[in-house]
Amino acid sequence: MAGFLLSVDEVSKRFGGLSAISKLSFRVREGSIKALIGPNGAGKSTLFNLITGIDSPSAGQIRFDGLDVTDMVPNRRAALGMGRTFQTPQIFGEMSVLENVQVGYHLRGKASWFDALLFTRRSRREELHTRDLCAAVLEKVGLSAKSHEPAGGLACGELKLLEMARALAMGPRLLLLDEFAAGLTRAETEHMMALVQSVRAEGVTVLLVEHDMHLVMNLSDEIVVLNFGEKVAEGTPEEIRRNERVIEVYLGAEV
Ligand code: ADP
Ligand code: MG
């Protein structure tokens, strides 16, 4: 049986008087897809920031592959194999789609985006390798036809795919997806779901935040439900669907 790639132990986060996350514990099994759901303000994005190192917890511990990463800076976590997409895509609009993926790739282990932009001195051979790898990732997500267009001209669904490509180019072991299907059409959502499944089939572990219940129920092995920063329930999609407290606080008439 596979071990746990990510462990969140008794994690709390306070913002002044507000308790955004309270003594939260859960684990993500290596090779699985786990979803984090809950109403707006439940603390989902805050938790993603704690896991990726954008922010630090007020208490508790976060372990990645057995290593305590609680106080580790984001790019060290990225270098260890944490990849993420942002709820609002972060792109360089004037650079091409391919260049945006290349910048993401060069960010591995780098101190800043600026640093990542200074990759011109690397050997030509390494550059070509990177270019091929990034082109292959764009092919995988279905964006290769747009490789040489400015990223600023992409539609919403394409921007989400670019975010995904950039995270994948870094070869993550854990992929964190924050509302990656928000604003997508049904067809785009289905494409995204297939993509996540194929990424998982290659051995990548996935933790996702998403409001689309069809997606969550069909894609996840396990679900954690948050409400006001506390864990309301955890289990398989079937268990969550039938859980009285979950229906009360979140699912309501949806299921
Ligand atoms: P979700 O992503 O589940 O909608 P968030 O994690 O964004 O929820 O927010 C959880 C709670 O923490 C909310 O009440 C929000 O207003 C608060 N919060 C989030 N970030 C900050 C911050 N930087 N400063 C103060 N309060 C914050
Ligand atoms: Mg959020």
Side-chain angles (χ1 to χ4, degrees), residues 85-155:
T85 64
F86 289 86
Q87 198 171 338
T88 311
Q90 319 258 306
I91 54 137
F92 296 103
E94 274 154 38
M95 287 168 67
S96 76
V97 168
L98 179 61
E99 283 164 343
N100 267 273
V101 182
Q102 284 176 290
V103 170
Y105 178 81
H106 286 290
L107 192 61
R108 284 203 299 192
K110 296 293 185 308
S112 66
W113 281 94
F114 181 71
D115 232 20
L117 285 165
L118 300 176
F119 58 75
T120 45
R121 283 213 225 136
R122 286 161 186 268
S123 75
R124 172 122 182 102
R125 216 167 118 207
E126 194 179 337
E127 266 320 300
L128 287 175
H129 169 76
T130 307
R131 210 184 146 83
D132 286 351
L133 184 143
C134 294
V137 172
L138 281 174
E139 176 81 46
K140 182 174 174 58
V141 304
L143 261 190
S144 45
K146 305 265 172 157
S147 294
H148 303 293
E149 292 183 20
L154 294 183

Side-chain angles (χ1 to χ4, degrees), residues 33 164 177 180 192-200 206 219:
I33 299 178
M164 184 73 138
L177 306 170
F180 68 112
M192 205 49 118
M193 284 171 69
L195 195 55
V196 173
Q197 262 154 349
S198 87
V199 166
R200 186 266 286 276
V206 179
L219 206 51

Side-chain angles (χ1 to χ4, degrees), residues 35-243:
L36 199 60
I37 64 171
N40 276 329
K44 305 178 299 292
S45 293
T46 299
L47 183 64
F48 260 38
N49 288 341
L50 301 179
I51 293 170
T52 52
I54 304 279
D55 211 341
S56 45
S58 315
Q61 193 188 49
I62 296 166
R63 277 177 296 143
F64 181 66
D65 199 20
L67 194 66
D68 184 349
V69 298
T70 316
D71 300 311
M72 203 180 267
V73 293
N75 33 59
R76 271 200 69 203
R77 298 188 208 207
L80 285 176
M82 277 194 196
R84 75 169 297 178
T85 64
F86 289 86
Q87 198 171 338
T88 311
Q90 319 258 306
I91 54 137
F92 296 103
E94 274 154 38
M95 287 168 67
S96 76
V97 168
L98 179 61
E99 283 164 343
N100 267 273
V101 182
Q102 284 176 290
V103 170
Y105 178 81
H106 286 290
L107 192 61
R108 284 203 299 192
K110 296 293 185 308
S112 66
W113 281 94
F114 181 71
D115 232 20
L117 285 165
L118 300 176
F119 58 75
T120 45
R121 283 213 225 136
R122 286 161 186 268
S123 75
R124 172 122 182 102
R125 216 167 118 207
E126 194 179 337
E127 266 320 300
L128 287 175
H129 169 76
T130 307
R131 210 184 146 83
D132 286 351
L133 184 143
C134 294
V137 172
L138 281 174
E139 176 81 46
K140 182 174 174 58
V141 304
L143 261 190
S144 45
K146 305 265 172 157
S147 294
H148 303 293
E149 292 183 20
L154 294 183
C156 164
E158 294 167 335
L159 278 175
K160 297 260 177 179
L161 290 173
L162 173 54
E163 276 276 307
M164 184 73 138
R166 207 156 48 176
L168 289 177
M170 295 172 73
R173 293 180 64 194
L174 174 67
L175 186 58
L176 297 125
L177 306 170
D178 195 357
E179 303 206 15
F180 68 112
L184 298 190
T185 63
R186 192 75 256 162
E188 286 168 337
T189 303
E190 296 294 335
H191 174 58
M192 205 49 118
M193 284 171 69
L195 195 55
V196 173
Q197 262 154 349
S198 87
V199 166
R200 186 266 286 276
E202 288 164 12
V204 178
T205 306
V206 179
L207 179 63
L208 59 92
V209 165
E210 193 48 67
H211 284 297
D212 182 332
M213 277 308 117
H214 165 77
L215 181 151
V216 168
M217 292 293 174
N218 285 286
L219 206 51
S220 323
D221 298 308
E222 276 191 28
I223 301 172
V224 176
V225 187
L226 280 189
N227 192 36
F228 292 114
E230 289 182 14
K231 184 162 84 177
V232 175
E234 183 172 13
T236 63
E238 259 326 296
E239 287 163 351
I240 294 304
R241 209 193 296 272
R242 282 190 263 111
N243 186 297

